[in-house]
Amino acid sequence: MTARKIGSSQIVTALMLLPAAAIFLGLFVGSLAFFFVQSFWKASTFKVTPDFRPGNYLDVVTNYGEVLLYTLGVGVLVASLTTTLAFFFAYAVRFALGRLGDLMLAIALTTLFGGYLVKIYAWRTILGSDGIINSALINLGLIDRPLSFLLFNLGAVVVTLTHYLLPLAILPLYGALRDVDETELAAARDMGASRSRVMLDIVLPQVRPALMASFSVCFLLAAGDYVTPAMVGSPGNAMFGNFIQSQFGLRMNTPSGAAMSFTLIGTSLVLLTLIGAGLRKGLQPR
Amino acid sequence: MPAEVPLLKLDGLTKRYGDHVAVAPTSLSIQPRDFFAILGPSGCGKTTLLRMIGGFVQPSGGTVQIGGADVTRLGPERRPTGMVFQNYGLFQHMTVRQNIAYGLKLRREPKARMDAAVDEMMALVHLDHLAERAAPELSGGQRQRVALARALILKPKVLLLDEPLAALDLKLRKTMHRELRALHQAIGGTFILVSHDQSEVMTLANRVAVMEHGAVVQEGSPRDIYMRPANVFVSGFIGEANTLRGSRRDGRIELAGGASLAHAGRDGAVSVVLRPEQLELEPIEPARVSLEAEVTDLIFLGPFTHLHCTLANGDALLVHVESRHVAAAHRPGARIRLGWKADDQLVLDAS
């Protein structure tokens, strides 16, 4: 009886896993493996021939090295900014705001319902030359001509991405902060810790996995993005994703595009591993 | 005793939340080496009072003085107090050793001195074998010891204990009672314990303040409070007590349960408080006050037997007698006579 029960529950578990596993293995791992193989192929004009050569990767490093560094930099900037803002927001909701906090959280999460493109266009409307900020300043008589430095630059990319990613960063942090026992904070204070020491010694180490989760999500989405830089960024400062897109699209050079994609994935993972290790070391109990 | 300067002095300490008075103006003096207990039912304001002493709750009025210095406006990190919290609040990402050492690290104690102090403290609370154990892996009693050690290692002038044993099972609680007593004697510190458990307070404290509805209603030694409770609430809260209602006219009290006794005082409603062990079966001496009751239940507990009885007016009465005085006739349903010495009874005028 018991044996049959375990057997049938295992079958049920397997059945429940099957659809997701099929989609994951078939569509994600499968196509990723295909492109990984192709990243070593050779592309000549309008033709792709199977091969095994690391040339594509060398090309990426020589031709796109700077763009890659710039893109990783933007990713780190956006992820750091977003994670910091999200942490303070989640901290206030968890420890300071009481009832009001629930409302703030609900509002923050409601912005998840807004589409990604809608947000980008919203920021174009806000920052553009006939946008809300410029019209307001002109109507107030503070400026004569629209400020042009608001849109189509790195600042606009960072603002747009941060706005888009903030609720995604808040969720894991708020979840982790809920598990932090307020008594521990009081105990640390009692033992002589200042508020900032409590934050550093007690709160941050306990939410470190969530900090890393938020940072990683923001970093990967920001560093891999190509729509935001195209829509609100400066045309001269395209990000890595824009070049990948053009390899797959305009140039139809899939081996090169695949090699660029895997370079981005690889460097991103290395960078995140290093940041994770640094965070672990920095927040270790001394 | 009064000649000694109090280590901790509360003067009119008050906490209000809007219209709600959590702690009415409270003044207390606590002497060095006291094991002082604040006893009361949940919601009586005892924890708020303790948290004001520790600096976790800002009082609405009054002052806290420790060793003559006013600390009312100081945060917990700047007060010479140490707190053991009800749910301990151990740092979950640290080991036992790291938890205990944390306060010394904040003080930038040299490593060698710190390690020695931590080792000594762990030995004192019997945790030496668990030094590297992570906090979440500890049992309730072990957590309790870590919390104690962590607070004591900083040598606080006053150790504040907020229902520290409430989460432990009875057997462990009794062990911890003995350990706490021994610890208090060993280090000669001043402890303030908040508890709703009167037996814990009787076991541990040399002085007790009983709180009800945000106010201290009586303060004294456990013996004083047991023998001379200030009111019916205190008598019922400390130990077990029978409260018999009655009224006094022209120097005689008529009890609703059916007895009459001489007692001088103002006419009006009174309560006569009797401890269960002050009642005896079949009183023969004429000097005793006596009344009739019906046995409803009889619980044999080895040396003692507890008799649950009902009086003529339906009031319940609890009697503790030595088992050797209990006869076969004392069974449920039997009508018995109970008596007490007039000296033992405590008569409280209804306020």
Side-chain angles (χ1 to χ4, degrees), chain A residues 181 183-195 197-198 201-203 205-206 283 285-286, chain B residues 54 56 76-77 81-83 85 87-94 98-99 102-103 105-106 150 154:
Chain A
D181 178 8
T183 311
E184 289 179 49
L185 312 190
R189 295 268 286 155
D190 193 44
M191 281 177 253
S194 62
R195 282 174 204 280
R197 272 255 70 95
V198 174
D201 290 347
I202 313 298
V203 181
Q206 294 200 17
L283 293 177
R286 289 154 311 127
Chain B
F56 298 102
E77 76 279 13
T81 52
M83 180 104 157
F85 294 88
N87 51 353
Y88 317 135
L90 298 192
F91 305 134
Q92 296 296 311
H93 59 302
M94 295 186 190
Q98 287 167 335
N99 262 282
Y102 183 68
K105 275 179 186 155
L106 289 173
R150 190 175 69 167
L154 298 173

Side-chain angles (χ1 to χ4, degrees), chain B residues 69-110:
Chain B
D70 189 336
V71 298
T72 316
R73 300 284 146 204
L74 299 184
E77 76 279 13
R78 293 172 61 200
R79 292 192 189 197
T81 52
M83 180 104 157
V84 175
F85 294 88
Q86 184 169 8
N87 51 353
Y88 317 135
L90 298 192
F91 305 134
Q92 296 296 311
H93 59 302
M94 295 186 190
T95 62
V96 168
R97 172 177 282 282
Q98 287 167 335
N99 262 282
I100 297 174
Y102 183 68
L104 292 180
K105 275 179 186 155
L106 289 173
R107 289 185 184 176
R108 301 178 186 285
E109 200 84 14

Side-chain angles (χ1 to χ4, degrees), chain A residues 18-33:
Chain A
L18 200 62
I23 290 171
F24 184 74
L25 289 174
L27 298 181
F28 185 70
V29 177
S31 53
L32 216 58

Side-chain angles (χ1 to χ4, degrees), chain A:
Chain A
M1 188 65 194
T2 317
R4 254 189 70 187
K5 250 187 185 164
I6 290 168
S8 69
S9 87
Q10 276 171 341
I11 292 170
V12 170
T13 309
L15 280 176
M16 289 196 293
L17 284 173
L18 200 62
I23 290 171
F24 184 74
L25 289 174
L27 298 181
F28 185 70
V29 177
S31 53
L32 216 58
F34 171 69
F35 278 116
F36 186 68
V37 170
Q38 219 184 49
S39 72
F40 296 98
W41 289 5
K42 183 177 172 341
S44 44
T45 323
F46 303 117
K47 216 178 113 198
V48 173
T49 39
D51 198 348
F52 186 77
R53 43 188 289 259
N56 290 331
Y57 285 93
L58 295 175
D59 288 348
V60 173
V61 176
T62 47
N63 296 337
Y64 298 104
E66 251 178 74
V67 181
L68 180 63
L69 288 181
Y70 172 74
T71 302
L72 294 177
V74 172
V76 169
L77 179 66
V78 170
S80 308
L81 189 67
T82 312
T83 308
T84 308
L85 292 176
F87 175 79
F88 286 123
F89 183 91
Y91 188 87
V93 169
R94 165 69 177 88
F95 290 113
L97 295 175
R99 270 272 179 82
L100 179 67
D102 295 338
L103 183 69
M104 299 273 289
L105 193 68
I107 291 171
L109 297 186
T110 308
T111 66
L112 279 174
F113 290 114
Y116 171 45
L117 279 171
V118 173
K119 283 174 187 159
I120 294 176
Y121 275 107
W123 280 106
R124 277 174 77 125
T125 315
I126 295 168
L127 302 172
S129 56
D130 50 359
I132 296 165
I133 294 179
N134 276 319
S135 342
L137 290 174
I138 289 171
N139 286 337
L140 286 169
L142 293 171
I143 51 171
D144 300 328
R145 284 180 296 138
L147 303 171
S148 57
F149 61 81
L150 294 177
L151 195 56
F152 303 124
N153 56 27
L154 176 60
V157 172
V158 171
V159 167
T160 306
L161 282 174
T162 302
H163 173 230
Y164 159 54
L165 295 170
L166 198 55
L168 296 174
I170 289 171
L171 273 179
L173 283 168
Y174 178 69
L177 282 167
R178 270 174 62 124
D179 289 342
V180 173
D181 178 8
E182 269 172 288
T183 311
E184 289 179 49
L185 312 190
R189 295 268 286 155
D190 193 44
M191 281 177 253
S194 62
R195 282 174 204 280
S196 51
R197 272 255 70 95
V198 174
M199 189 69 94
L200 221 54
D201 290 347
I202 313 298
V203 181
L204 290 180
Q206 294 200 17
V207 301
R208 184 177 53 81
L211 278 175
M212 206 46 217
S214 288
F215 187 91
S216 304
V217 165
C218 294
F219 174 82
L220 291 173
L221 288 175
D225 193 27
Y226 60 94
V227 181
T228 310
M231 304 279 281
V232 302
S234 116
N237 254 338
M239 283 170 62
F240 206 69
N242 302 108
F243 292 99
I244 295 178
Q245 186 199 15
S246 79
Q247 291 294 353
F248 278 107
L250 273 179
R251 300 190 181 189
M252 297 205 284
N253 187 342
T254 43
S256 174
M260 289 174 76
S261 304
F262 281 101
T263 308
L264 184 60
I265 293 173
T267 47
S268 295
L269 290 181
V270 169
L271 192 67
L272 286 178
T273 310
L274 290 177
I275 290 173
L279 205 60
R280 177 189 295 268
K281 199 163 159 49
L283 293 177
Q284 227 164 32
R286 289 154 311 127

